[in-house]
Amino acid sequence: MPILHALNDEFGYVDASAVPVIADELNLSRAEVHGVLTFYHDFRKEPAGRHVVKVCRAEACQSMAGRDLEEHIKRHLKVELGETTADKRITVEAVYCLGLCACAPSMMVDGKLHARMTPAKFDKIAKELR
Amino acid sequence: MTATLYIPCDSAAIACGAEEVLLAIQAEALARKIELKIIRNGSRGMLWLEPMIEVATPEGRIAYGPVAPEDVATLFAADFLNGGKNHPLCIGRPEDVPYLKNQERLTFARCGITDPTDIEDYIAHDGYRGLKAAAHMSGEAIVTAVTESGLRGRGGAGFPTGIKWKTVLGLDAQQKYIVCNADEGDSGTFADRMIMEGDPFLLIEGMTIAGLAVGATKGFVYIRSEYPIAYAQMEKAIVAANRAGYLGPNVAGSGKAFDLELRLGAGAYICGEETSLLESLEGKRGMVRAKPPLPAIKGLFGQPTVINNVLSFVAVPTILDKGATFYKDFGMGRSRGTMPLQLAGNVKHGGLIEKAFGITLRQVIEDFGGGTASGKPIRAVQVGGPLGAYFPQSLLDTPLDYEAMAAAKGMLGHGGIVVFDDSVDMAMQARFAMEFCAVESCGKCTPCRIGSTRGVEVIDRIREGQNRQKNMELLADLCDTMLDGSLCALGGLTPFPVQSAVRHFPEDFNRPAGHRAAAE
């Protein structure tokens, strides 16, 4: 897993061509490495957009209109969760709890945390993402 | 004169703008030619006040919050660097705020006060006293102290920690392991994160004591990838502890070795389940193992392993320092000691509340939380994360202890409490529970893998008004199958929120389909 994390961090995703190399190095079958790669939500199989927005879908955020925020983001960027905008600018993903439940709803943009979100705050942040 | 300022580095404070406030303060201080000493402390846990900034003064620390960058100029004008009280954001001494004053903080006693990664500061605030005591005790004596304290697993299952440790102590093996479950994935929980960010040495100390107790020389902390700041803080603290001789070949002069390593999760909720976590630590898919064998007997790499939650380990130093009886005197019934509760969701004053077991849900939500943030009435409260039951108004007087919660067909879990106001649609919440289980299921056992997807479909049919009576029966049946037939707690507890929603809020499952479409 530390190897996959390193690749994912470096390239933004884990290319399929890396699987046989890792398998060979660790004396595992390709199937085993592929299995690990596809099990975890964090590892990407293809490059993401230039920016990644992770929006929290868990209960505490729901209680503070997290669902409205999610709908707003999807409408605003014209994507579904897990998709990238046509201009490859922003990828939107779901995350289940960022641990900021007392200042909900929350999201993470390129690793930076934002809490007490509103659709207006999102528009402001999105405008700065190029 | 140099003023000393405390600006939290806690994720919640940063997400609310602590970095921007820090920059604004530095810029203003530069313009006014004032020298500042800035300490990045943890959070005190009064999260509605974050970012909460504290200033050291002769009468103690004076707090201001929630501070926005726009407030910085007026704070300087109000002489906040000398504790000036003439500012609307001034809170006074944090210890005097009833929210903190009325708590019983044992585990979180230091969190927010010290510089989290400064080991000297930790020791100056009674840190490592538990380990120093343990260093001169036999393994049996340490385990006995933990057993007598009545400490039970704080991860959710509530299994007596001392018994788990005793099993591992009694086994002969070439290598034993201590594993900390810091994959805090439950919605509404953040105590693990807060302690790792705000007092990481406490976790290191707790795990080291466990190592000495059972004869393990190697420990792992499995931290979820959603917590990058916690990971960074732990990393710094481990380096400092090694350097000071509190980790390494001769722990605190005991002659025994203990090393600690961090591992990062990769966004799988199921890895909070202990056997799945062990698989993941071994570099595999996080698939749940069948029990027995218990991890205590065959755990990490097939060796005897103590696997505990963060909150269990961090309770241990207090027990060794102040004695089992001291700890045991808190709490009620068979739930001894204190529980760090996490109040979140639609609530005015969300945050961390450490209290002895036995406080009621209503006391937590009303006395500490101050009611809902929206000002509307409370309709439902989910306790114990996404697998915990929803409680209606009529059950809010249930005391928070393991047995009382179980009697009310709920669970305390990891102590997360999420409040919903009257705009919540409980059928939708039940659907979410099933949907979440479908996304996060490891896929090993059928009730969880297939049952959750079918559950979403059945609830959709109920919401649309198709054959309602029959589908409600089907849902009840499906819940029973998942409860009894699942391998681990994910499939086995997903019915908790669903059944509790059906039981306490039947009206939400019996609305005309058109009404719902209009509402959405």
Side-chain angles (χ1 to χ4, degrees):
Chain A
M1 283 203 15
I3 298 175
L4 294 175
H5 264 302
L7 287 170
N8 206 55
D9 288 349
E10 182 71 27
F11 299 106
Y13 73 112
V14 181
D15 196 85
S17 66
V19 171
V21 182
I22 299 169
D24 205 39
E25 207 53 45
L26 298 178
N27 200 17
L28 296 168
S29 72
R30 270 185 288 164
E32 282 167 304
V33 177
H34 178 77
V36 173
L37 177 62
T38 49
F39 184 84
Y40 297 97
H41 300 305
D42 278 7
F43 301 135
R44 246 182 262 286
K45 268 68 72 185
E46 49 194 63
R50 289 192 295 283
H51 303 282
V52 179
V53 172
K54 293 187 179 190
V55 48
C56 181
R57 294 195 69 213
E59 287 89 339
C61 288
Q62 293 169 10
S63 77
M64 292 299 279
R67 280 204 195 103
D68 296 342
L69 176 69
E70 182 189 325
E71 289 304 321
H72 171 82
I73 294 174
K74 289 199 286 198
R75 224 176 15 245
H76 183 89
L77 299 175
K78 300 190 184 63
V79 290
E80 285 301 309
L81 294 177
E83 292 181 357
T84 305
T85 51
D87 57 2
K88 298 269 174 254
R89 193 164 67 96
I90 300 174
T91 299
V92 181
E93 291 178 342
V95 63
Y96 293 94
C97 197
L98 292 165
L100 308 171
C101 314
C103 350
S106 61
M107 64 177 204
M108 195 187 230
V109 180
D110 296 334
K112 191 175 183 309
L113 296 165
H114 298 270
R116 298 182 192 141
M117 285 299 301
T118 58
K121 265 170 108 176
F122 173 79
D123 291 347
K124 204 170 146 225
I125 292 167
K127 219 181 263 170
E128 287 164 13
L129 301 175
R130 285 287 139 224
Chain B
M1 189 203 93
T2 315
T4 304
L5 271 181
Y6 293 82
I7 303 179
C9 64
D10 181 275
S11 291
I14 289 177
C16 294
E19 299 300 302
E20 289 76 8
V21 172
L22 169 68
L23 289 176
I25 289 178
Q26 282 172 329
E28 187 74 25
L30 200 66
R32 291 171 181 254
K33 298 199 171 50
I34 299 169
E35 252 187 76
L36 293 180
K37 182 180 174 206
I38 293 174
I39 292 172
R40 304 305 303 268
N41 58 335
S43 171
R44 298 260 195 169
M46 298 189 284
L47 296 176
W48 75 99
L49 293 174
E50 293 293 356
M52 184 175 97
I53 287 167
E54 295 172 56
V55 183
T57 74
E59 48 172 334
R61 277 152 72 166
I62 302 294
Y64 302 83
V67 179
E70 304 82 86
D71 300 320
V72 169
T74 59
L75 279 171
F76 273 91
D79 195 24
F80 85 121
L81 290 179
N82 287 309
K85 299 210 175 54
N86 204 4
H87 194 283
L89 296 180
C90 181
I91 297 156
R93 289 165 18 113
E95 305 81 61
D96 296 338
V97 178
Y99 199 85
L100 276 185
K101 208 175 176 175
N102 297 334
Q103 297 194 25
E104 290 152 306
R105 286 201 170 189
L106 304 179
T107 297
F108 278 80
R110 235 178 332 258
C111 192
I113 294 173
T114 54
D115 180 349
T117 54
D118 180 349
I119 199 165
E120 301 293 326
D121 207 10
Y122 181 70
I123 294 166
H125 286 85
D126 296 340
Y128 274 127
R129 288 171 55 121
L131 178 64
K132 281 173 190 156
H136 305 291
M137 290 163 70
S138 68
E140 285 82 5
I142 301 174
V143 171
T144 306
V146 173
T147 308
E148 281 177 0
S149 74
L151 177 65
R152 292 166 68 180
R154 298 281 188 256
F159 188 82
T161 306
I163 294 181
K164 203 185 256 188
W165 290 19
K166 197 173 177 190
T167 310
V168 178
L169 172 66
L171 292 168
D172 267 327
Q174 275 203 315
Q175 178 72 57
K176 296 177 186 175
Y177 294 104
I178 307 295
V179 174
C180 174
N181 183 346
D183 193 59
E184 185 181 46
D186 288 358
S187 164
T189 62
F190 44 82
D192 296 357
R193 175 182 66 65
M194 275 184 63
I195 209 81
M196 288 190 286
E197 291 174 354
D199 200 11
F201 290 113
L202 186 65
L203 176 57
I204 297 175
E205 183 179 354
M207 290 183 71
T208 310
I209 293 171
L212 297 184
V214 304
T217 54
K218 179 98 202 159
F220 290 94
V221 187
Y222 186 94
I223 303 179
R224 65 199 293 254
S225 60
E226 289 86 342
Y227 287 176
I229 300 174
Y231 189 90
Q233 293 285 85
M234 284 297 297
E235 212 166 24
K236 282 187 220 162
I238 288 175
V239 170
N242 265 306
R243 202 170 288 154
Y246 288 99
L247 282 175
N250 180 12
V251 169
S254 64
K256 294 178 191 160
F258 189 70
D259 281 305
L260 206 51
E261 260 186 61
L262 298 181
R263 281 286 185 277
L264 195 61
Y269 176 77
I270 189 65
C271 290
E273 197 282 332
E274 59 180 12
T275 62
S276 160
L277 187 151
L278 293 174
E279 289 282 305
S280 185
L281 261 185
E282 293 179 9
K284 302 180 199 149
R285 290 164 71 94
M287 304 283 276
V288 174
R289 294 177 185 170
K291 289 191 272 192
L294 292 169
I297 294 163
K298 275 185 98 166
L300 188 61
F301 301 113
Q303 301 297 316
T305 302
V306 167
I307 177 163
N308 278 132
N309 185 264
V310 173
L311 293 183
S312 312
F313 282 123
V314 293
V316 170
T318 307
I319 295 168
L320 270 293
D321 176 24
K322 301 201 166 140
T325 319
F326 169 82
Y327 192 78
K328 198 180 175 173
D329 282 346
F330 293 88
M332 67 177 272
R334 293 205 291 125
S335 305
R336 312 308 315 183
T338 59
M339 180 74 199
L341 300 162
Q342 301 122 78
L343 182 59
N346 195 333
V347 63
K348 210 174 280 166
H349 298 154
L352 187 114
I353 300 158
E354 183 175 347
K355 278 297 273 184
F357 287 98
I359 182 173
T360 67
L361 262 175
R362 193 183 301 281
Q363 285 171 321
V364 173
I365 298 166
E366 290 177 2
D367 299 354
F368 283 94
T372 60
S374 58
K376 293 183 184 172
I378 298 168
R379 177 128 193 267
V381 179
Q382 189 179 27
V383 185
L387 309 177
Y390 285 99
F391 286 76
Q393 270 282 356
S394 59
L395 284 177
L396 291 188
D397 292 313
T398 310
L400 289 160
D401 94 332
Y402 294 110
E403 276 69 39
M405 292 300 285
K409 290 199 168 22
M411 62 164 192
L412 184 53
H414 191 260
I417 299 171
V418 178
V419 181
F420 292 82
D421 70 12
D422 61 3
S423 64
V424 67
D425 173 351
M426 294 308 295
M428 199 61 193
Q429 296 310 119
R431 184 187 188 277
F432 177 80
M434 286 291 190
E435 188 191 355
F436 181 74
C437 179
V439 174
E440 299 294 345
S441 172
C442 81
K444 188 157 181 167
C445 69
T446 320
C448 172
R449 183 184 67 236
I450 311 235
S452 53
T453 302
R454 292 290 100 86
V456 172
E457 294 164 2
V458 174
I459 295 173
D460 277 344
R461 285 203 289 277
I462 293 169
R463 296 181 73 230
E464 283 158 16
Q466 291 178 25
N467 223 343
R468 210 164 250 159
Q469 182 66 34
K470 264 188 106 173
N471 276 315
M472 287 301 279
E473 282 167 26
L474 187 62
L475 180 63
D477 197 41
L478 179 66
C479 283
D480 285 338
T481 307
M482 288 176 73
L483 266 176
D484 298 332
S486 300
L487 205 48
C488 82
L490 178 56
L493 294 178
T494 291
F496 267 50
V498 179
Q499 290 175 323
S500 60
V502 172
R503 187 163 54 241
H504 301 306
F505 308 93
E507 63 278 17
D508 283 17
F509 292 83
N510 199 17
R511 293 216 172 123
H515 163 87
R516 194 172 303 280
E520 274 171 9

